[in-house]
Amino acid sequence: MPQSASANRYAQAVFQIAVDRDELDVWSADLQTLVGALDVEGFALLLDAPQVPVVHKVEAINRAVGDSVAALSANLLSLLASKNLAHLLTDVLDEYSKMIDFQL
C-alpha cells in the first residue's frame, strides 16, 4: 500500500474522531506537536525501528510528549510506531489539514 494512501486513511480516522468530539483545533495542535517531537534527532528512527520492542517505543513517546498532547493523540503515534510507520505522521498532518480546509 502506498504511504500516501496509508497516511490518508489515518488522517480520515483522526478527522472523524475530531469532528465527533468537536476537537478539530485540538487535534491539529496535537498533530503538530507530535510531528515536532519526531524532528528530534533519532526519535523517528527509533519509532520506526522494527528491532525496538513496542513497549519501549510507547515509553519513549510518553517521555517525549508527556501531557503536551491528548491521550488519543499519543495513542495514534504509538499505533503508528507499533507498525513502524511513525514517519507517516507528517503526511497524516498534511492530509488532516487539507480536510479541515475543505470543511471550512
Side-chain angles (χ1 to χ4, degrees):
M1 173 184 320
Q3 287 185 359
S4 60
S6 292
N8 191 40
R9 282 190 184 160
Y10 285 109
Q12 287 174 341
V14 167
F15 184 76
Q16 189 60 53
I17 291 168
V19 168
D20 291 347
R21 294 171 167 250
D22 193 27
E23 296 178 343
L24 291 171
D25 291 339
V26 171
W27 273 95
S28 184
D30 283 0
L31 289 171
Q32 290 174 11
T33 299
L34 293 173
V35 166
L38 290 179
D39 286 339
V40 173
E41 186 177 336
F43 190 53
L45 292 175
L46 170 85
L47 296 182
D48 280 345
Q51 66 272 24
V52 176
V54 173
V55 67
H56 294 306
K57 293 177 182 186
V58 172
E59 289 170 356
I61 291 166
N62 290 334
R63 280 192 309 272
V65 297
D67 293 332
S68 62
V69 298
L72 275 178
S73 301
N75 286 347
L76 170 64
L77 183 53
S78 295
L79 173 66
L80 291 171
S82 74
K83 297 178 181 218
N84 306 319
L85 296 173
H87 63 276
L88 287 182
L89 195 61
T90 301
D91 293 336
V92 171
L93 173 58
D94 291 343
E95 292 297 321
Y96 178 81
S97 297
K98 289 176 190 175
M99 291 174 193
I100 288 177
D101 290 345
F102 183 73
Q103 184 185 18
L104 299 176

Coordinates of all heavy atoms in Angstrom, one line a residue:
M1 N 0.8 -1.2 0.0 CA 0.0 0.0 0.0 C 0.9 1.2 0.0 O 1.8 1.3 0.8 CB -0.9 0.0 1.3 CG -1.7 1.2 1.5 SD -2.6 1.2 3.0 CE -3.2 -0.4 3.2
P2 N 0.6 2.2 -0.9 CA 1.4 3.4 -0.9 C 1.3 4.2 0.4 O 0.3 4.2 1.1 CB 0.8 4.2 -2.1 CG 0.1 3.2 -2.9 CD -0.3 2.1 -1.9
Q3 N 2.4 4.8 0.8 CA 2.4 5.6 2.0 C 1.4 6.7 2.1 O 0.7 6.8 3.1 CB 3.8 6.2 2.2 CG 4.9 5.2 2.6 CD 6.2 5.9 2.9 OE1 6.3 7.1 2.9 NE2 7.1 5.1 3.3
S4 N 1.1 7.3 0.9 CA 0.1 8.4 1.0 C -1.3 7.9 1.2 O -2.1 8.5 1.9 CB 0.2 9.2 -0.4 OG -0.1 8.3 -1.4
A5 N -1.5 6.6 0.7 CA -2.9 6.0 1.0 C -3.0 5.7 2.5 O -4.1 5.9 3.1 CB -3.0 4.8 0.1
S6 N -1.9 5.2 3.1 CA -2.0 4.9 4.5 C -2.1 6.2 5.3 O -3.0 6.2 6.2 CB -0.7 4.2 4.9 OG -0.6 2.9 4.4
A7 N -1.4 7.2 4.9 CA -1.5 8.5 5.7 C -2.9 9.1 5.5 O -3.5 9.6 6.5 CB -0.5 9.5 5.1
N8 N -3.5 8.9 4.3 CA -4.8 9.4 4.1 C -5.8 8.7 5.0 O -6.7 9.3 5.6 CB -5.2 9.3 2.6 CG -6.5 10.1 2.3 OD1 -6.7 11.1 2.8 ND2 -7.3 9.5 1.5
R9 N -5.7 7.4 5.1 CA -6.6 6.6 5.9 C -6.5 7.0 7.4 O -7.5 7.2 8.1 CB -6.3 5.1 5.8 CG -6.8 4.5 4.6 CD -6.7 3.0 4.7 NE -7.1 2.4 3.4 CZ -6.8 1.2 3.0 NH1 -6.1 0.5 3.8 NH2 -7.2 0.8 1.9
Y10 N -5.3 7.2 7.9 CA -5.1 7.6 9.3 C -5.7 9.0 9.5 O -6.3 9.3 10.5 CB -3.7 7.5 9.7 CG -3.2 6.1 10.0 CD1 -2.3 5.5 9.1 CD2 -3.6 5.4 11.1 CE1 -1.8 4.2 9.3 CE2 -3.1 4.1 11.3 CZ -2.3 3.5 10.4 OH -1.8 2.3 10.7
A11 N -5.4 9.9 8.5 CA -6.0 11.3 8.6 C -7.5 11.3 8.6 O -8.1 12.0 9.4 CB -5.4 12.1 7.4
Q12 N -8.1 10.4 7.8 CA -9.5 10.3 7.8 C -10.1 9.9 9.1 O -11.1 10.4 9.6 CB -10.0 9.4 6.7 CG -9.9 9.9 5.3 CD -10.2 8.9 4.2 OE1 -10.2 7.7 4.4 NE2 -10.5 9.4 3.0
A13 N -9.4 8.9 9.7 CA -9.9 8.4 11.0 C -9.7 9.5 12.1 O -10.6 9.7 12.9 CB -9.0 7.2 11.4
V14 N -8.6 10.2 12.1 CA -8.4 11.3 13.0 C -9.4 12.4 12.8 O -10.0 12.9 13.8 CB -6.9 11.8 12.9 CG1 -6.8 13.1 13.6 CG2 -5.9 10.8 13.4
F15 N -9.7 12.7 11.6 CA -10.6 13.7 11.2 C -12.0 13.4 11.8 O -12.7 14.2 12.4 CB -10.7 14.0 9.7 CG -11.6 15.1 9.3 CD1 -11.2 16.4 9.5 CD2 -12.8 14.9 8.8 CE1 -12.0 17.5 9.2 CE2 -13.6 15.9 8.4 CZ -13.2 17.2 8.6
Q16 N -12.4 12.1 11.6 CA -13.7 11.7 12.0 C -13.8 11.8 13.6 O -14.8 12.2 14.1 CB -14.0 10.3 11.6 CG -15.5 9.8 11.8 CD -16.5 10.8 11.1 OE1 -16.4 11.0 9.9 NE2 -17.4 11.3 11.9
I17 N -12.8 11.3 14.2 CA -12.8 11.4 15.7 C -12.8 12.9 16.1 O -13.6 13.3 17.0 CB -11.5 10.8 16.3 CG1 -11.5 9.3 16.1 CG2 -11.3 11.1 17.8 CD1 -10.2 8.6 16.3
A18 N -12.1 13.8 15.5 CA -12.1 15.2 15.8 C -13.4 15.8 15.6 O -13.9 16.6 16.4 CB -11.0 15.9 15.0
V19 N -14.1 15.5 14.5 CA -15.4 16.0 14.2 C -16.4 15.5 15.3 O -17.2 16.3 15.8 CB -15.9 15.6 12.8 CG1 -17.4 15.9 12.6 CG2 -15.1 16.4 11.7
D20 N -16.4 14.2 15.5 CA -17.3 13.6 16.5 C -17.2 14.3 17.9 O -18.1 14.4 18.6 CB -17.1 12.1 16.6 CG -17.6 11.4 15.4 OD1 -18.2 12.0 14.5 OD2 -17.2 10.2 15.3
R21 N -15.9 14.6 18.3 CA -15.7 15.2 19.6 C -15.6 16.7 19.6 O -15.3 17.3 20.6 CB -14.4 14.6 20.1 CG -14.4 13.1 20.4 CD -13.0 12.6 20.7 NE -13.1 11.3 21.3 CZ -12.8 11.0 22.5 NH1 -12.5 11.9 23.4 NH2 -12.9 9.8 22.9
D22 N -15.8 17.3 18.4 CA -15.7 18.7 18.2 C -14.4 19.2 18.7 O -14.2 20.2 19.5 CB -16.8 19.5 19.0 CG -17.0 20.9 18.6 OD1 -16.6 21.3 17.4 OD2 -17.4 21.7 19.4
E23 N -13.3 18.6 18.2 CA -11.9 18.9 18.6 C -11.0 19.1 17.4 O -9.8 18.6 17.5 CB -11.4 17.7 19.5 CG -12.1 17.5 20.8 CD -11.6 16.4 21.6 OE1 -10.9 15.5 21.1 OE2 -11.9 16.3 22.8
L24 N -11.5 19.7 16.4 CA -10.6 19.9 15.2 C -9.4 20.6 15.5 O -8.3 20.2 15.1 CB -11.4 20.6 14.1 CG -12.6 19.8 13.5 CD1 -13.4 20.7 12.6 CD2 -12.0 18.7 12.7
D25 N -9.5 21.7 16.3 CA -8.3 22.5 16.6 C -7.4 21.8 17.6 O -6.1 21.9 17.5 CB -8.7 23.9 17.3 CG -9.4 24.8 16.2 OD1 -9.2 24.6 15.0 OD2 -10.1 25.7 16.7
V26 N -7.9 21.0 18.5 CA -7.1 20.3 19.5 C -6.3 19.2 18.7 O -5.1 19.1 18.9 CB -8.0 19.6 20.5 CG1 -7.2 18.6 21.4 CG2 -8.7 20.6 21.4
W27 N -6.9 18.5 17.8 CA -6.2 17.5 17.0 C -5.1 18.1 16.1 O -4.0 17.6 16.0 CB -7.1 16.6 16.2 CG -7.6 15.5 17.0 CD1 -8.8 15.4 17.7 CD2 -7.0 14.2 17.2 NE1 -8.9 14.2 18.3 CE2 -7.8 13.4 18.0 CE3 -5.8 13.7 16.7 CZ2 -7.4 12.1 18.4 CZ3 -5.4 12.4 17.1 CH2 -6.2 11.6 17.9
S28 N -5.4 19.3 15.6 CA -4.5 20.0 14.7 C -3.2 20.3 15.5 O -2.1 20.1 15.1 CB -5.1 21.2 14.1 OG -4.2 21.9 13.2
A29 N -3.4 20.9 16.7 CA -2.3 21.3 17.6 C -1.5 20.1 18.0 O -0.3 20.1 18.1 CB -2.8 22.1 18.8
D30 N -2.3 19.0 18.4 CA -1.6 17.8 18.9 C -0.8 17.2 17.8 O 0.4 16.7 18.0 CB -2.6 16.8 19.4 CG -3.1 17.1 20.8 OD1 -2.7 18.1 21.4 OD2 -4.0 16.3 21.3
L31 N -1.3 17.1 16.6 CA -0.5 16.5 15.5 C 0.7 17.3 15.2 O 1.8 16.8 14.9 CB -1.4 16.4 14.2 CG -2.5 15.4 14.2 CD1 -3.4 15.5 13.0 CD2 -1.9 14.0 14.3
Q32 N 0.6 18.6 15.3 CA 1.8 19.5 15.1 C 2.8 19.2 16.2 O 4.0 19.2 15.9 CB 1.4 21.0 15.0 CG 0.6 21.3 13.8 CD 0.1 22.7 13.8 OE1 0.4 23.6 14.6 NE2 -0.8 23.0 12.8
T33 N 2.4 19.1 17.4 CA 3.3 18.8 18.5 C 4.0 17.5 18.3 O 5.2 17.3 18.5 CB 2.5 18.8 19.8 OG1 2.0 20.1 20.1 CG2 3.4 18.4 21.0
L34 N 3.2 16.5 17.9 CA 3.8 15.1 17.6 C 4.8 15.2 16.5 O 5.9 14.5 16.5 CB 2.7 14.1 17.4 CG 1.8 13.8 18.6 CD1 0.7 12.9 18.1 CD2 2.6 13.2 19.7
V35 N 4.5 15.9 15.4 CA 5.4 16.0 14.3 C 6.7 16.7 14.7 O 7.8 16.3 14.4 CB 4.7 16.7 13.1 CG1 5.8 17.2 12.1 CG2 3.7 15.8 12.5
G36 N 6.5 17.7 15.6 CA 7.7 18.4 16.1 C 8.6 17.5 16.9 O 9.8 17.5 16.9
A37 N 7.9 16.6 17.7 CA 8.7 15.6 18.5 C 9.5 14.7 17.6 O 10.6 14.3 17.9 CB 7.8 14.8 19.4
L38 N 8.9 14.3 16.5 CA 9.6 13.4 15.5 C 10.9 14.1 14.9 O 11.7 13.4 14.4 CB 8.7 13.0 14.4 CG 7.6 12.0 14.8 CD1 6.7 11.7 13.6 CD2 8.2 10.7 15.4
D39 N 10.9 15.4 15.0 CA 12.1 16.2 14.4 C 13.3 16.1 15.3 O 14.4 16.4 14.9 CB 11.7 17.6 14.2 CG 10.8 17.8 13.0 OD1 10.8 16.9 12.1 OD2 10.1 18.9 12.9
V40 N 13.1 15.6 16.6 CA 14.2 15.4 17.5 C 15.1 14.3 16.9 O 14.6 13.3 16.5 CB 13.8 15.1 18.9 CG1 14.9 14.7 19.8 CG2 13.0 16.2 19.5
E41 N 16.4 14.6 16.8 CA 17.3 13.7 16.2 C 17.2 12.3 16.7 O 17.3 12.0 17.9 CB 18.7 14.2 16.3 CG 19.7 13.4 15.6 CD 21.2 13.9 15.7 OE1 21.3 15.1 16.0 OE2 22.1 13.1 15.5
G42 N 16.9 11.4 15.8 CA 16.9 9.9 16.1 C 15.6 9.4 16.6 O 15.4 8.2 16.7
F43 N 14.6 10.3 17.0 CA 13.4 9.8 17.5 C 12.5 9.1 16.5 O 12.0 8.0 16.8 CB 12.6 11.0 18.1 CG 11.4 10.6 19.0 CD1 11.6 9.7 20.0 CD2 10.2 11.2 18.7 CE1 10.5 9.3 20.8 CE2 9.1 10.8 19.5 CZ 9.2 9.9 20.5
A44 N 12.4 9.6 15.3 CA 11.6 8.9 14.3 C 12.3 7.6 13.9 O 11.6 6.6 13.7 CB 11.4 9.8 13.1
L45 N 13.6 7.6 13.9 CA 14.3 6.3 13.6 C 14.0 5.3 14.6 O 13.8 4.1 14.3 CB 15.8 6.6 13.4 CG 16.2 7.4 12.2 CD1 17.7 7.7 12.3 CD2 15.8 6.7 10.9
L46 N 14.0 5.7 15.9 CA 13.7 4.8 17.0 C 12.3 4.2 16.8 O 12.1 3.0 17.0 CB 13.9 5.5 18.3 CG 13.4 4.7 19.5 CD1 14.4 3.8 20.0 CD2 12.9 5.6 20.6
L47 N 11.4 5.1 16.6 CA 10.0 4.6 16.5 C 9.7 3.8 15.3 O 8.8 3.0 15.3 CB 9.0 5.9 16.5 CG 9.1 6.7 17.7 CD1 8.0 7.9 17.6 CD2 8.8 5.9 19.0
D48 N 10.5 3.9 14.2 CA 10.3 3.1 13.0 C 11.2 1.8 13.0 O 11.1 1.0 12.1 CB 10.6 3.9 11.8 CG 9.4 4.8 11.4 OD1 8.3 4.6 11.9 OD2 9.6 5.7 10.6
A49 N 12.0 1.7 14.0 CA 12.9 0.5 14.0 C 12.2 -0.7 14.4 O 11.7 -0.8 15.5 CB 14.1 0.8 15.0
P50 N 12.2 -1.7 13.5 CA 11.5 -3.0 13.9 C 12.1 -3.8 15.0 O 11.4 -4.6 15.7 CB 11.5 -3.8 12.6 CG 12.6 -3.1 11.7 CD 12.8 -1.7 12.2
Q51 N 13.4 -3.6 15.3 CA 14.0 -4.3 16.3 C 13.8 -3.8 17.7 O 14.1 -4.4 18.7 CB 15.6 -4.4 16.1 CG 16.3 -3.1 16.2 CD 16.4 -2.3 14.9 OE1 15.5 -2.5 14.0 NE2 17.3 -1.5 14.7
V52 N 13.2 -2.6 17.8 CA 12.8 -2.0 19.1 C 11.5 -2.5 19.5 O 10.5 -2.3 18.8 CB 12.9 -0.4 19.0 CG1 12.4 0.2 20.3 CG2 14.2 0.1 18.6
P53 N 11.4 -3.0 20.7 CA 10.1 -3.5 21.2 C 9.0 -2.4 21.3 O 9.4 -1.3 21.7 CB 10.4 -4.1 22.6 CG 11.8 -4.4 22.6 CD 12.4 -3.4 21.7
V54 N 7.8 -2.7 21.0 CA 6.7 -1.7 21.1 C 6.7 -1.0 22.5 O 6.5 0.2 22.6 CB 5.4 -2.3 20.7 CG1 4.2 -1.3 20.9 CG2 5.4 -2.8 19.2
V55 N 6.8 -1.8 23.5 CA 6.7 -1.2 24.8 C 7.8 -0.1 25.0 O 7.5 0.9 25.7 CB 6.9 -2.3 25.9 CG1 8.2 -3.0 26.0 CG2 6.5 -1.8 27.3
H56 N 9.0 -0.3 24.5 CA 10.0 0.8 24.6 C 9.6 2.0 23.7 O 9.9 3.1 24.1 CB 11.4 0.2 24.2 CG 11.9 -0.8 25.1 ND1 12.0 -0.7 26.4 CD2 12.3 -2.1 24.8 CE1 12.5 -1.8 27.0 NE2 12.7 -2.7 26.0
K57 N 9.0 1.7 22.6 CA 8.5 2.9 21.8 C 7.5 3.7 22.5 O 7.5 4.9 22.5 CB 8.0 2.3 20.4 CG 9.0 1.7 19.5 CD 8.4 1.1 18.3 CE 9.4 0.5 17.4 NZ 8.9 0.0 16.1
V58 N 6.5 3.0 23.1 CA 5.4 3.7 23.8 C 6.0 4.5 25.0 O 5.6 5.6 25.2 CB 4.4 2.7 24.3 CG1 3.4 3.3 25.2 CG2 3.7 2.1 23.1
E59 N 7.0 3.9 25.7 CA 7.6 4.6 26.8 C 8.3 5.9 26.3 O 8.2 6.9 26.9 CB 8.6 3.7 27.5 CG 7.9 2.6 28.4 CD 8.9 1.6 28.9 OE1 10.1 1.6 28.5 OE2 8.5 0.7 29.6
A60 N 9.0 5.7 25.2 CA 9.7 6.9 24.6 C 8.7 8.0 24.2 O 9.0 9.2 24.4 CB 10.6 6.4 23.4
I61 N 7.6 7.6 23.6 CA 6.6 8.5 23.2 C 6.0 9.3 24.4 O 5.9 10.5 24.5 CB 5.4 7.9 22.4 CG1 6.0 7.4 21.1 CG2 4.2 8.8 22.3 CD1 5.1 6.4 20.4
N62 N 5.7 8.5 25.5 CA 5.2 9.1 26.7 C 6.2 10.1 27.3 O 5.8 11.2 27.8 CB 4.8 8.1 27.7 CG 3.6 7.3 27.3 OD1 2.7 7.8 26.5 ND2 3.4 6.1 27.7
R63 N 7.5 9.7 27.3 CA 8.5 10.6 27.8 C 8.7 11.9 27.0 O 8.8 13.0 27.5 CB 9.9 9.9 27.9 CG 10.0 9.0 29.1 CD 11.5 8.6 29.4 NE 12.1 8.0 28.2 CZ 12.1 6.7 27.8 NH1 11.4 5.9 28.6 NH2 12.7 6.3 26.8
A64 N 8.6 11.7 25.7 CA 8.8 12.8 24.7 C 7.6 13.8 24.7 O 7.9 15.0 24.7 CB 9.0 12.3 23.3
V65 N 6.4 13.3 24.8 CA 5.3 14.3 24.7 C 4.5 14.5 26.0 O 3.8 15.4 26.2 CB 4.3 13.9 23.6 CG1 5.0 13.9 22.2 CG2 3.7 12.5 23.8
G66 N 4.7 13.5 26.9 CA 4.0 13.6 28.2 C 2.6 14.1 28.2 O 1.8 13.5 27.5
D67 N 2.3 15.1 28.9 CA 0.9 15.7 28.9 C 0.7 16.8 27.9 O -0.3 17.5 28.0 CB 0.6 16.2 30.3 CG 0.5 15.1 31.3 OD1 0.2 13.9 30.9 OD2 0.8 15.3 32.5
S68 N 1.6 17.0 27.0 CA 1.5 18.1 26.0 C 0.5 17.8 24.9 O 0.1 18.7 24.1 CB 2.9 18.4 25.4 OG 3.4 17.3 24.7
V69 N 0.1 16.5 24.8 CA -1.0 16.2 23.8 C -2.0 15.3 24.5 O -1.7 14.7 25.6 CB -0.4 15.4 22.6 CG1 0.6 16.3 21.8 CG2 0.2 14.1 23.0
A70 N -3.2 15.2 23.9 CA -4.2 14.3 24.5 C -3.8 12.9 24.4 O -3.0 12.5 23.5 CB -5.5 14.6 23.7
A71 N -4.4 12.1 25.2 CA -4.1 10.6 25.3 C -4.3 10.0 23.9 O -3.5 9.1 23.4 CB -4.8 9.9 26.4
L72 N -5.4 10.3 23.3 CA -5.7 9.7 22.0 C -4.7 10.1 20.9 O -4.4 9.3 20.0 CB -7.1 10.1 21.5 CG -8.3 9.3 22.0 CD1 -9.6 9.9 21.4 CD2 -8.2 7.8 21.6
S73 N -4.2 11.3 21.0 CA -3.2 11.7 20.0 C -1.9 10.9 20.2 O -1.3 10.5 19.3 CB -2.9 13.2 20.2 OG -4.1 14.0 20.0
A74 N -1.5 10.8 21.5 CA -0.3 10.0 21.8 C -0.5 8.5 21.4 O 0.4 7.9 20.9 CB 0.0 10.1 23.3
N75 N -1.8 8.0 21.5 CA -2.1 6.7 21.1 C -1.9 6.5 19.6 O -1.5 5.5 19.1 CB -3.5 6.3 21.5 CG -3.6 6.0 23.0 OD1 -2.6 5.9 23.7 ND2 -4.8 5.9 23.5
L76 N -2.3 7.6 18.8 CA -2.1 7.5 17.4 C -0.6 7.3 17.0 O -0.3 6.4 16.2 CB -2.6 8.8 16.7 CG -2.2 8.9 15.2 CD1 -2.9 7.8 14.4 CD2 -2.6 10.3 14.7
L77 N 0.3 8.0 17.7 CA 1.7 7.9 17.4 C 2.2 6.5 17.9 O 3.0 5.9 17.2 CB 2.5 9.0 18.1 CG 4.0 9.0 17.8 CD1 4.3 8.9 16.3 CD2 4.7 10.2 18.4
S78 N 1.6 6.0 19.0 CA 2.0 4.7 19.5 C 1.6 3.6 18.5 O 2.3 2.7 18.2 CB 1.4 4.4 20.8 OG 1.9 5.3 21.8
L79 N 0.4 3.8 17.9 CA -0.1 2.8 16.9 C 0.8 2.8 15.7 O 1.2 1.8 15.2 CB -1.6 3.2 16.5 CG -2.1 2.4 15.4 CD1 -2.3 0.9 15.7 CD2 -3.5 3.0 14.9
L80 N 1.1 4.0 15.2 CA 2.0 4.1 14.0 C 3.3 3.5 14.3 O 3.9 2.8 13.5 CB 2.1 5.6 13.6 CG 0.9 6.2 13.0 CD1 1.1 7.7 12.8 CD2 0.5 5.6 11.7
A81 N 3.9 3.8 15.5 CA 5.2 3.2 15.9 C 5.1 1.7 16.0 O 6.1 1.0 15.7 CB 5.6 3.9 17.2
S82 N 4.0 1.2 16.5 CA 3.9 -0.3 16.6 C 3.9 -0.9 15.2 O 4.3 -2.1 15.1 CB 2.6 -0.6 17.4 OG 1.5 -0.5 16.5
K83 N 3.6 -0.2 14.2 CA 3.6 -0.7 12.8 C 4.8 -0.2 12.1 O 4.9 -0.3 10.8 CB 2.3 -0.3 12.1 CG 1.1 -0.9 12.8 CD -0.1 -0.5 12.1 CE -1.3 -1.1 12.8 NZ -2.4 -1.5 11.9
N84 N 5.8 0.5 12.8 CA 7.0 1.0 12.2 C 6.6 2.1 11.1 O 7.3 2.2 10.1 CB 7.9 -0.1 11.6 CG 8.2 -1.1 12.6 OD1 8.5 -0.8 13.8 ND2 8.2 -2.3 12.3
L85 N 5.6 2.8 11.4 CA 5.1 3.8 10.4 C 5.0 5.2 11.0 O 4.3 6.1 10.5 CB 3.7 3.5 9.9 CG 3.5 2.2 9.2 CD1 2.0 1.9 8.9 CD2 4.3 2.2 7.9
A86 N 5.8 5.5 12.0 CA 5.8 6.8 12.6 C 6.2 7.9 11.6 O 5.7 9.0 11.7 CB 6.7 6.9 13.8
H87 N 7.0 7.6 10.7 CA 7.4 8.5 9.6 C 6.2 9.1 8.8 O 6.3 10.1 8.2 CB 8.4 7.9 8.7 CG 7.9 6.8 7.9 ND1 7.8 5.5 8.5 CD2 7.4 6.7 6.7 CE1 7.3 4.7 7.6 NE2 7.0 5.4 6.5
L88 N 5.1 8.4 8.9 CA 3.9 8.8 8.1 C 3.2 10.0 8.8 O 2.3 10.6 8.2 CB 2.8 7.7 8.0 CG 3.2 6.6 7.1 CD1 2.0 5.6 7.0 CD2 3.4 7.1 5.7
L89 N 3.5 10.3 10.1 CA 2.8 11.3 10.8 C 2.8 12.7 10.1 O 1.7 13.4 10.2 CB 3.3 11.4 12.2 CG 2.4 12.2 13.2 CD1 1.0 11.5 13.3 CD2 3.0 12.3 14.6
T90 N 3.8 13.1 9.5 CA 3.9 14.3 8.8 C 2.8 14.3 7.7 O 2.1 15.3 7.5 CB 5.3 14.6 8.2 OG1 6.2 14.6 9.3 CG2 5.3 15.9 7.5
D91 N 2.7 13.2 7.0 CA 1.7 13.1 5.9 C 0.3 13.1 6.4 O -0.6 13.6 5.8 CB 2.0 11.9 5.0 CG 3.3 12.0 4.2 OD1 3.8 13.1 4.0 OD2 3.8 10.9 3.9
V92 N 0.2 12.5 7.6 CA -1.2 12.4 8.3 C -1.6 13.9 8.6 O -2.7 14.3 8.3 CB -1.1 11.6 9.5 CG1 -2.4 11.7 10.3 CG2 -0.9 10.1 9.2
L93 N -0.6 14.7 9.2 CA -0.9 16.1 9.5 C -1.3 16.8 8.2 O -2.3 17.6 8.2 CB 0.2 16.7 10.2 CG 0.2 18.2 10.4 CD1 -1.1 18.6 11.2 CD2 1.4 18.7 11.1
D94 N -0.6 16.6 7.1 CA -0.8 17.3 5.9 C -2.2 17.0 5.4 O -3.0 17.9 5.0 CB 0.2 17.0 4.8 CG 1.6 17.6 5.1 OD1 1.7 18.5 6.0 OD2 2.6 17.1 4.5
E95 N -2.6 15.7 5.4 CA -3.9 15.3 4.9 C -5.0 15.8 5.8 O -6.0 16.2 5.3 CB -3.9 13.8 4.8 CG -3.1 13.2 3.7 CD -3.5 13.6 2.3 OE1 -4.7 13.7 2.0 OE2 -2.6 13.9 1.5
Y96 N -4.8 15.8 7.1 CA -5.7 16.3 8.1 C -6.0 17.7 7.8 O -7.1 18.2 7.8 CB -5.2 16.0 9.5 CG -6.1 16.5 10.6 CD1 -7.3 15.8 11.0 CD2 -5.9 17.7 11.2 CE1 -8.1 16.3 12.0 CE2 -6.7 18.2 12.2 CZ -7.8 17.5 12.6 OH -8.6 17.9 13.6
S97 N -4.9 18.5 7.6 CA -5.0 19.9 7.4 C -5.9 20.2 6.1 O -6.7 21.1 6.1 CB -3.7 20.6 7.3 OG -3.0 20.5 8.5
K98 N -5.7 19.4 5.1 CA -6.4 19.5 3.9 C -7.9 19.3 4.1 O -8.8 20.0 3.6 CB -6.0 18.6 2.8 CG -4.6 18.9 2.2 CD -4.2 17.9 1.2 CE -2.7 18.1 0.8 NZ -2.2 17.0 -0.1
M99 N -8.2 18.3 5.0 CA -9.6 18.0 5.3 C -10.3 19.2 6.1 O -11.4 19.5 5.8 CB -9.7 16.7 6.1 CG -9.3 15.5 5.3 SD -9.3 14.0 6.4 CE -8.5 12.9 5.2
I100 N -9.5 19.8 6.9 CA -10.0 20.9 7.7 C -10.3 22.1 6.7 O -11.4 22.7 6.8 CB -9.1 21.4 8.8 CG1 -9.1 20.3 9.9 CG2 -9.5 22.7 9.3 CD1 -8.1 20.6 11.1
D101 N -9.3 22.3 5.8 CA -9.5 23.4 4.9 C -10.7 23.2 4.0 O -11.4 24.1 3.6 CB -8.2 23.6 4.0 CG -7.1 24.1 4.8 OD1 -7.3 24.6 5.9 OD2 -5.9 24.0 4.3
F102 N -10.9 22.0 3.6 CA -12.0 21.6 2.7 C -13.4 21.8 3.4 O -14.4 22.2 2.8 CB -11.9 20.2 2.2 CG -13.0 19.8 1.2 CD1 -13.0 20.3 -0.1 CD2 -14.0 19.0 1.6 CE1 -14.0 19.9 -1.0 CE2 -15.0 18.6 0.7 CZ -15.0 19.1 -0.6
Q103 N -13.4 21.5 4.7 CA -14.6 21.6 5.5 C -15.0 23.1 5.7 O -16.2 23.4 5.7 CB -14.5 20.9 6.9 CG -15.8 21.0 7.6 CD -15.6 20.4 9.0 OE1 -14.6 20.3 9.6 NE2 -16.7 20.1 9.6
L104 N -14.0 23.9 5.8 CA -14.3 25.3 6.0 C -14.8 25.9 4.8 O -15.6 26.6 4.6 CB -13.1 26.1 6.5 CG -12.5 25.6 7.8 CD1 -11.2 26.4 8.1 CD2 -13.4 25.8 8.9

